[in-house]
Amino acid sequence: MTEALRPLRPLQLSGDVHDPQSLPVKPGPISRTISAPGSLKKRAICSQCRIRKVRCDGRQNICQNCDRLGFECSFQQSPGKSPGQYVVKLPERRRRMQACIPCHSKKTRCLGELPSCSSCVRRNRVCSYRRTKRNAGIARGSDLAEVQEADDESVQEHAGDASPGQDIGIVGPAEGPALDPETTMSLMEDYFQHLYPLPSFAFLHKPTVLQRCRDTAMNETLKLAICAITALQLQRTSFCHDLWVQQAEQSILQQIGRASIFNLQALILVIRYRIESGEFPTAFMLAALAARTALALRLNYERPELSDVAQEARRRLFWALYLLDDFFCVGLREFELCPEETIHLQLPCDEEHFEAGQYVHTGLLRPASPENAIVGLRGVFLRLTSVRRAIMRFNRRVGLGDELSSTIGRSIQRFEEELRLLRANLRPLDQYSVSNLTSCRWQAQFLMLHMSWHQCHCDLYRLGLDGYSEAAPSPVLIAIHPRDRVAMQFKCLEHAENIIRIVSDFSNHGNSECLLERDAAVCAFESARLVMFGSRIPGTASNLDVAINKAKLSLNLITRLFPFSASTQPLRKDLERLIASYSVRLALQTQEAFSEPDPPSSRPSTKVSQYASSRQRLSVQSLLLQSDFVDDSNEIAGPAQGAETQTATNGIQANLQTTHISEAAATASASGPKSQAWGAGGQVSSGNGHVPSPCLSLDAGQEDAGLIFNPWMGFTGTEDMYGGRPQGLDEEF
């Protein structure tokens, strides 16, 4: 009854049981004190496993972990060296303990390998890791691997001061992946060779920037932005340009309250980087910051007290911001960054005068009267951009029924005269010809100017292209004389053919290293659509087989010059689908009515644009359609509205929509075309004046699918098709 309990497991002593110095322990009650001269025996752990914080089996000579991974185990000691004299050598870091930045942002699995994780290697993207808390910031995986050796040496020098269990992190340099002078100078020269000829990148003064770069006196934010956009556009994948642009953007945002001309230059380049890499929402928001900064610096006004170089650099920077509107607003005034009525600047001068620092009077964007001014390629391109936007607004008004049929002809003649004068005022060397193309120093500007000039005519004349998705509504087409309508059709197809001819000339005779901007891809895309559509109109220059081959030239241009551009990827995919659809028609030799292939099906949109009226709908060329902004206004009042309420609301909307359709159908049957208000987009006619099924045109699930065939114009909405147009809106909306 009083016998003490036995221990559950035998007690292990640190000493040997056969050692005479070891005292045997007799069994007895647990309450008795057991004494032994040596401490309890512990399993030996090598220094490498202790540092890595992993389980060590304590195997003699070399533990299993070090043997498997090829590390130098601390158990491997020289015969003449005592255990206390062993110097800890840090094991090689094989993996990171956190996901890399690209995988973390995409929410994909990352194994953390160094220098690059397997996920980034498969997707051909730059892999980078955040630095540890000890040195906050960002570093590339290759930088981490290189810095590891320096860390090893520094820790080994102080191995006696560091405890074996101390957590040793592997970090990058405090300032991130630094740009060495040689790399910086190389990327600067590449910028002025490849990107500076483009209209949106010509705001830096080459002699000044290169000299400051040589003197290491250049603004750090601007330097990072230039190097980042250059490495991205030229696909220099060995450089960590994604980290450079992130550092530049963070520096700009940290100084958001201090407007600076250098920060604005860097911000424009950061916006272009975000556009080309597919981060359209970020680019859209940063564009608003750029516009505010420009107004804070009063860049829309002249500064006569400044030097000629400073004045021209200010002008070019503002005009680069003006061109950003083509990525987002596309004819919508509410999205414009730089309304033309607020611009009080003259146009940019030629490159020769800018580099030499000479002042030249170039005139205003839309002069009220003829003036004696020297306007070069860049100035004419800006004036052409202004005319093109005016044509887009005109097309929108025609599609919405706001333009009287009696004034359409006069408006078209006015635009024709403006375009004729723009071309007539070009210098002889700037007129289009193959010889001028090959001899022009600024081929990109030369090509984009002439492609855009022909595209203006395509935008203007396709209103009369019966059956096309951007044709004018049937009541407008009926009001146009058949002879004039046929003339518009042939003029539209003629200018589309000229765009493809320019594309062909550039492919055969142009500089293979010349880059183009997204507008060139838009012109190539639109011309290919028009040529394939018009191939079955009697009397056209190209039959369907020839038209498909010409469309492939445009596709080849987009594929060759924009292989990694996120902003042009939808154009390439849609053109590939169109060519495939027309090829099937060619193989079947069908004789259907003039119409384009149906767009692909799409899920219902959750974008903000879904709820905008047709006067506010965006063009398919606007990158906002790919931004996927979601309106969460329904959550502003909290969870008061449940699922049942939402379902009831949706049901009411559906009933109202069905009622409007029925009433509209009855009204259309009773009163004819004159009582109808037609929306933009040309979806109301297929050449015979009949109204298509309202159910198809109003299907919310097909909204996004229909957008792709309505560039540069607004889109059909219920309130515009059936007379429910909101009042009090600006006519240009």
Side-chain angles (χ1 to χ4, degrees):
M1 297 293 296
T2 59
E3 185 179 71
L5 297 175
R6 299 283 184 180
L8 295 178
R9 51 187 175 184
L11 185 63
Q12 296 181 358
L13 298 180
S14 59
D16 190 356
V17 294
H18 301 289
D19 190 352
Q21 297 181 358
S22 300
L23 297 178
V25 180
K26 297 180 181 181
I30 292 180
S31 60
R32 292 181 58 186
T33 303
I34 302 175
S35 60
S39 59
L40 296 179
K41 184 177 181 179
K42 297 181 179 179
R43 177 179 299 168
I45 301 175
C46 72
S47 300
Q48 282 76 7
C49 292
R50 184 182 298 278
I51 292 172
R52 296 174 56 232
K53 296 183 178 180
V54 297
R55 186 181 183 88
C56 181
D57 62 351
R59 194 173 66 184
Q60 293 184 356
N61 296 330
I62 182 171
C63 72
Q64 185 179 0
N65 290 335
C66 294
D67 187 17
R68 176 174 57 86
L69 298 175
F71 294 153
E72 181 180 347
C73 187
S74 61
F75 294 158
Q76 294 174 318
Q77 301 184 24
S78 302
K81 184 180 295 185
S82 63
Q85 295 176 339
Y86 179 78
V87 178
V88 178
K89 183 176 182 180
L90 292 179
E92 178 186 357
R93 177 70 64 93
R94 298 294 176 83
R95 291 180 57 183
R96 291 279 292 176
M97 300 305 295
Q98 61 182 358
C100 66
I101 295 175
C103 292
H104 180 74
S105 61
K106 300 294 183 182
K107 292 182 172 58
T108 58
R109 184 181 180 185
C110 181
L111 298 180
E113 300 98 330
L114 292 176
S116 298
C117 71
S118 55
S119 178
C120 291
V121 171
R122 287 196 308 269
R123 292 168 174 80
N124 193 25
R125 62 190 182 197
V126 178
C127 185
S128 56
Y129 292 92
R130 294 189 180 276
R131 289 185 241 139
T132 58
K133 294 181 180 179
R134 188 172 67 184
N135 288 311
I138 301 173
R140 288 185 64 194
S142 58
D143 298 326
L144 295 173
E146 294 173 0
V147 171
Q148 177 188 356
E149 299 179 1
D151 288 344
D152 292 348
E153 296 175 359
S154 61
V155 172
Q156 288 174 16
E157 292 177 359
H158 303 84
D161 300 332
S163 63
Q166 182 179 358
D167 186 15
I168 301 176
I170 300 177
V171 299
E175 68 277 3
L179 271 167
D180 58 272
E182 182 180 356
T183 301
T184 303
M185 197 66 195
S186 175
L187 290 174
M188 291 289 173
E189 293 175 349
D190 288 338
Y191 176 91
F192 286 104
Q193 179 181 354
H194 299 284
L195 298 185
Y196 181 82
L198 302 177
S200 300
F201 295 95
F203 53 83
L204 296 174
H205 188 238
K206 181 178 179 180
T208 303
V209 171
L210 293 182
Q211 185 60 42
R212 287 178 177 172
C213 186
R214 295 187 190 99
D215 299 339
T216 64
M218 190 172 180
N219 180 273
E220 187 68 20
T221 304
L222 180 57
K223 180 180 71 174
L224 288 170
I226 295 174
C227 294
I229 189 64
T230 305
L232 175 69
Q233 292 282 53
L234 301 182
Q235 287 301 303
R236 305 291 172 80
T237 56
S238 59
F239 298 127
C240 48
H241 47 77
D242 54 340
L243 304 183
W244 297 340
V245 76
Q246 185 173 356
Q247 292 174 7
E249 181 178 319
Q250 290 177 353
S251 175
I252 294 169
L253 295 179
Q254 288 172 359
Q255 306 174 54
I256 191 172
R258 297 190 297 271
S260 166
I261 194 76
F262 298 107
N263 282 356
L264 181 57
Q265 289 175 332
L267 182 56
I268 296 294
L269 298 178
V270 169
I271 293 171
R272 292 306 306 268
Y273 185 100
R274 297 305 185 193
I275 289 175
E276 294 304 319
S277 58
E279 301 176 63
F280 306 131
T282 302
F284 178 67
M285 296 302 183
L286 291 177
L289 175 60
R292 287 296 186 187
T293 305
L295 293 179
L297 295 172
R298 309 298 285 170
L299 292 186
N300 55 327
Y301 288 93
E302 295 284 352
R303 290 282 302 277
E305 73 276 9
L306 298 177
S307 65
D308 293 338
V309 172
Q311 290 188 67
E312 182 65 18
R314 283 169 52 91
R315 297 187 197 106
R316 288 174 173 244
L317 183 58
F318 189 86
W319 289 122
L321 183 62
Y322 172 80
L323 292 176
L324 274 181
D325 278 338
D326 289 336
F327 288 97
F328 299 109
C329 77
V330 195
L332 275 179
R333 295 295 300 274
E334 61 191 85
F335 287 107
E336 285 187 1
L337 299 174
C338 310
E340 293 181 0
E341 60 269 17
T342 65
I343 302 176
H344 308 281
L345 290 174
Q346 72 172 26
L347 298 170
C349 63
D350 282 338
E351 310 305 326
E352 293 76 11
H353 299 104
F354 182 38
E355 292 182 3
Q358 299 176 356
Y359 172 79
V360 176
H361 177 63
T362 55
L364 301 176
L365 180 66
R366 301 297 292 268
S369 59
E371 53 185 354
N372 185 18
I374 302 175
V375 185
L377 283 175
R378 297 197 185 277
V380 176
F381 181 79
L382 288 169
R383 285 182 174 175
L384 187 61
T385 300
S386 176
V387 175
R388 191 170 170 184
R389 293 178 184 178
I391 292 175
M392 288 188 293
R393 291 192 288 268
F394 167 73
N395 288 349
R396 187 183 295 271
R397 291 195 301 272
V398 171
L400 293 172
D402 292 341
E403 189 78 19
L404 297 177
S405 301
S406 58
T407 63
I408 291 179
R410 292 196 299 270
S411 298
I412 292 177
Q413 293 177 359
R414 187 182 72 252
F415 286 124
E416 288 176 338
E417 181 63 17
E418 282 190 73
L419 293 171
R420 187 192 66 79
L421 289 176
L422 279 176
R423 187 173 186 177
N425 291 332
L426 287 176
R427 297 167 297 191
L429 290 177
D430 295 336
Q431 300 288 343
Y432 184 79
S433 66
V434 176
S435 59
N436 286 346
L437 170 64
T438 55
S439 62
C440 183
R441 179 185 175 188
W442 311 101
Q443 280 194 12
Q445 184 69 80
F446 183 86
L447 282 167
M448 293 181 62
L449 170 65
H450 290 283
M451 292 177 71
S452 183
W453 187 83
H454 288 292
Q455 185 61 43
C456 286
H457 290 85
C458 293
D459 295 337
L460 189 61
Y461 294 136
R462 64 184 173 192
L463 292 174
L465 199 58
D466 194 8
Y468 196 63
S469 55
E470 284 88 38
S474 295
V476 176
L477 291 176
I478 293 174
I480 300 176
H481 194 278
R483 181 183 63 256
D484 297 334
R485 192 162 66 242
V486 171
M488 291 176 64
Q489 294 175 3
F490 280 94
K491 288 180 180 179
C492 178
L493 297 177
E494 178 185 357
H495 286 282
E497 295 271 0
N498 287 333
I499 293 177
I500 296 182
R501 179 170 59 87
I502 294 175
V503 170
S504 177
D505 292 341
F506 175 65
S507 300
N508 296 328
H509 308 286
N511 184 2
S512 59
E513 297 182 355
C514 178
L515 300 180
L516 297 178
E517 290 203 50
R518 180 177 180 266
D519 185 63
V522 171
C523 295
F525 172 77
E526 294 298 329
S527 61
R529 284 183 56 206
L530 288 167
V531 169
M532 288 190 293
F533 175 82
S535 61
R536 294 188 297 173
I537 297 179
T540 54
S542 303
N543 55 31
L544 185 56
D545 188 14
V546 176
I548 291 175
N549 291 330
K550 291 181 177 180
K552 290 180 179 179
L553 293 175
S554 297
L555 178 61
N556 179 63
L557 176 78
I558 298 175
T559 304
R560 180 171 59 90
L561 294 182
F562 307 94
F564 304 103
S565 175
S567 62
T568 57
Q569 184 178 6
L571 298 178
R572 186 180 73 251
K573 291 182 177 179
D574 293 327
L575 186 54
E576 290 174 348
R577 184 185 57 80
L578 277 174
I579 292 176
S581 300
Y582 278 110
S583 299
V584 171
R585 292 189 178 190
L586 177 63
L588 298 178
Q589 293 295 323
T590 57
Q591 299 296 328
E592 302 175 358
F594 303 142
S595 63
E596 286 189 296
D598 295 331
S601 60
S602 175
R603 63 177 176 84
S605 174
T606 59
K607 303 182 184 70
V608 176
S609 61
Q610 179 183 1
Y611 306 101
S613 68
S614 63
R615 296 172 181 270
Q616 300 166 333
R617 296 282 174 90
L618 298 167
S619 159
V620 324
Q621 308 299 355
S622 173
L623 297 181
L624 286 178
L625 290 177
Q626 305 175 45
S627 298
D628 207 12
F629 287 112
V630 178
D631 186 2
D632 56 353
S633 302
N634 60 321
E635 301 178 4
I636 196 171
Q641 183 178 8
E644 296 180 358
T645 308
Q646 184 67 29
T647 303
T649 304
N650 293 340
I652 294 174
Q653 293 176 351
N655 292 335
L656 290 176
Q657 195 175 59
T658 305
T659 304
H660 289 169
I661 293 174
S662 302
E663 294 175 356
T667 306
S669 301
S671 52
K674 292 184 179 181
S675 64
Q676 301 171 4
W678 300 85
Q683 300 174 7
V684 296
S685 173
S686 59
N688 51 11
H690 293 169
V691 182
S693 173
C695 298
L696 294 178
S697 60
L698 297 180
D699 185 6
Q702 298 295 327
E703 180 187 34
D704 285 358
L707 296 182
I708 197 59
F709 292 105
N710 200 8
W712 303 99
M713 293 177 64
F715 303 102
T716 305
T718 57
E719 69 280 2
D720 291 316
M721 289 189 66
Y722 303 111
R725 201 177 301 164
Q727 300 295 327
L729 295 178
D730 190 297
E731 64 176 4
E732 292 186 342
F733 290 166

